[in-house]
Amino acid sequence: MSTQYSIDDQTHGVNGWGLRFCDSSYTATIGATTDTTLAVPLNASMGTPAASVNNKFIAVITVAPSKTVYVALNATAAVPAGSTFAASTSALLPIQSARFVKAGDTLHFYSAATADISVEFYAIQNG
């Protein structure tokens, strides 16, 4: 069973920080210019059977300070290709970020230099 994502009554959904320690945590030092992947686990979340692709999570991603890391969902991550705006499957990560994912998704990380990253998957209610 994954740690449940719990929004504190005091924040009224404005933010979910002040999180519990998570039992689905992953860390890595990603290599320079290498697309590094992490599959979202099939752990059970509230209201869904274990090992179900219907399970949903908040992925809390933390990147080492002063590192530039891009993330993509179910697509290869890459740095921007030029000086003009273009469509992309990648997003630049701030030092800490949260993304909605579902079981079976694959997160792709890419950095021009080595970077330490941690990802914690908090289960959220199916729906």
Side-chain angles (χ1 to χ4, degrees):
M1 181 75 157
S2 268
T3 303
Q4 295 292 312
Y5 180 78
S6 178
I7 297 176
D8 186 316
D9 289 338
Q10 300 300 317
T11 64
H12 301 289
V14 174
N15 65 46
W17 307 116
L19 298 171
R20 300 175 185 166
F21 279 95
C22 187
D23 64 359
S24 295
S25 297
Y26 301 84
T27 60
T29 299
I30 64 171
T33 66
T34 303
D35 182 55
T36 304
T37 61
L38 174 61
V40 178
L42 294 175
N43 297 349
S45 64
M46 188 185 318
T48 60
S52 169
V53 295
N54 294 318
N55 295 336
K56 296 177 178 74
F57 301 89
I58 295 292
V60 177
I61 306 164
T62 306
V63 177
S66 75
K67 298 295 182 175
T68 301
V69 176
Y70 290 83
V71 65
L73 181 64
N74 298 323
T76 300
V79 298
S83 61
T84 60
F85 284 99
S88 176
T89 59
S90 301
L92 177 63
L93 284 171
I95 291 174
Q96 189 167 52
S97 177
R99 299 286 195 259
F100 175 81
V101 295
K102 60 182 178 39
D105 282 343
T106 301
L107 294 169
H108 292 253
F109 298 95
Y110 185 91
S111 180
T114 60
D116 292 335
I117 297 178
S118 71
V119 181
E120 299 170 291
F121 293 103
Y122 287 88
I124 57 176
Q125 190 170 3
N126 188 25

